[in-house]
Amino acid sequence: MASRGLKVLPSGRPGRGRLYVNLPDGRAVAWYDRRANRISVLADERREEILAALRPYLNGTVSIGPPPVPTAADLLRLALPPDEDLAPNRAGEELLGELAHGSAGTRARHRLRQELTARQRMGEVLDALAEAEDWRVLHSIAGIADHLVIGPPGVFCLLTVQGRRQRAVVGDLLIAVGRTEPAPAPRTARRAAAYATRALSATVTPVLAVVDATRLEVTPTLRDLRVLTPSTTTPFLTNAPTTLKPPDVEALYATARDHRTWQ
């Protein structure tokens, strides 16, 4: 949308992140932080124009003023090259690429679509959680995690398993879905969380997210790995004890969204 030559452009995922108010030459004169409900003005002489351009997007009582002093996390984000930023990744990003450009046979493509559906389902649950101010989510950290969740209870590394509308049995080392050969998903989830712990210098909890299983059984001896479903994920995460303060969440998120952290 434009107002008197000013253009309002979104940053981040649709409906989230900031709205930037730019001049026709692309220079920003303000931004609206929807989480904080605050407008940061860079060109005070254009304040009325800026308010007119942003008015369709504003909700409730909005504060307005000069930009806040950047935090350490802000400085990391500002220095992050766009090509290294994982924040725009969609759930199942790499599977979307394989389906679009791969040459897999019909059966393999069907499995890929099932896996993609599972990751997208979990992605929707986590993105809804991330609408809350204190939560941050990353998807598709290639070779590491299907999803990474950072919030007040800590950091969680999620590996998604497609239940294929069958009985799923999770043991200490393997998961069996229906009559298929058991897979080492629990061990894979632990290795991913251990890698993330080293990369972020923070404790990361491994999570196995089982989607679309008709019945889920978990061995009682499994204690270091959380097993969740789309319906149990949000209650578990929101009711877990708080271990991180908001600045800690932002700092970890700024580090985690940098692709170079995982290399």
Side-chain angles (χ1 to χ4, degrees), residues 10-258:
S11 172
R13 295 193 185 101
R16 302 171 58 198
R18 293 176 174 178
L19 291 175
Y20 282 88
V21 183
N22 294 348
L23 295 171
D25 64 5
R27 286 181 298 150
V29 292
W31 68 79
Y32 172 42
D33 187 329
R34 284 176 281 200
R35 291 183 182 276
N37 212 20
R38 187 182 193 280
I39 301 172
S40 296
V41 178
L42 298 171
D44 197 60
E45 69 278 6
R46 291 181 175 268
R47 179 177 290 224
E48 293 305 318
E49 296 176 63
I50 291 166
L51 284 172
L54 286 172
R55 190 163 288 116
Y57 307 98
L58 304 180
N59 289 307
T61 302
V62 180
S63 60
I64 182 170
V69 176
T71 64
D74 291 331
L75 295 174
L76 279 175
R77 177 181 52 78
L78 291 169
L80 181 61
D83 289 346
E84 302 290 353
D85 191 359
L86 298 176
N89 280 6
R90 298 166 292 178
E93 189 83 42
E94 64 274 24
L95 298 182
L96 287 166
E98 288 186 49
L99 286 169
H101 306 295
S103 57
T106 302
R107 185 172 297 180
R109 291 180 68 83
H110 177 67
R111 285 198 300 269
L112 285 174
R113 290 193 186 96
Q114 284 186 318
E115 291 177 19
L116 175 61
T117 298
R119 296 188 195 185
Q120 290 177 331
R121 175 90 178 277
M122 282 305 303
E124 290 171 359
V125 170
L126 298 173
D127 284 342
L129 177 68
E131 293 293 342
E133 184 175 348
D134 294 335
W135 291 89
R136 299 291 182 267
V137 174
L138 291 170
H139 303 295
S140 304
I141 303 177
I144 307 297
D146 296 334
H147 315 279
L148 190 79
V149 185
I150 307 172
V155 186
F156 301 85
C157 184
L158 278 72
L159 176 66
T160 306
V161 176
Q162 172 57 262
R164 302 189 187 95
R165 302 189 182 281
Q166 299 180 65
R167 172 174 171 254
V169 180
V170 183
D172 289 309
L173 302 177
L174 300 171
I175 178 172
V177 177
R179 297 183 179 180
T180 60
E181 187 73 18
R187 287 181 287 180
T188 303
R190 289 189 186 97
R191 285 197 300 268
Y195 185 92
T197 294
R198 294 192 298 271
L200 299 175
S201 298
T203 301
V204 178
T205 300
V207 176
L208 206 60
V210 183
V211 180
D212 288 335
T214 54
R215 182 178 172 186
L216 179 61
E217 298 177 15
V218 181
T219 181
T221 58
L222 189 63
R223 302 189 184 280
D224 63 325
L225 174 71
R226 296 290 180 178
V227 181
L228 302 174
T229 67
S231 63
T232 62
T233 296
T234 299
F236 166 73
L237 291 174
T238 54
N239 291 323
T242 297
T243 62
L244 296 177
K245 297 179 180 179
D248 301 323
V249 171
E250 292 300 333
L252 285 166
Y253 178 63
T255 301
R257 67 189 289 181
D258 188 339

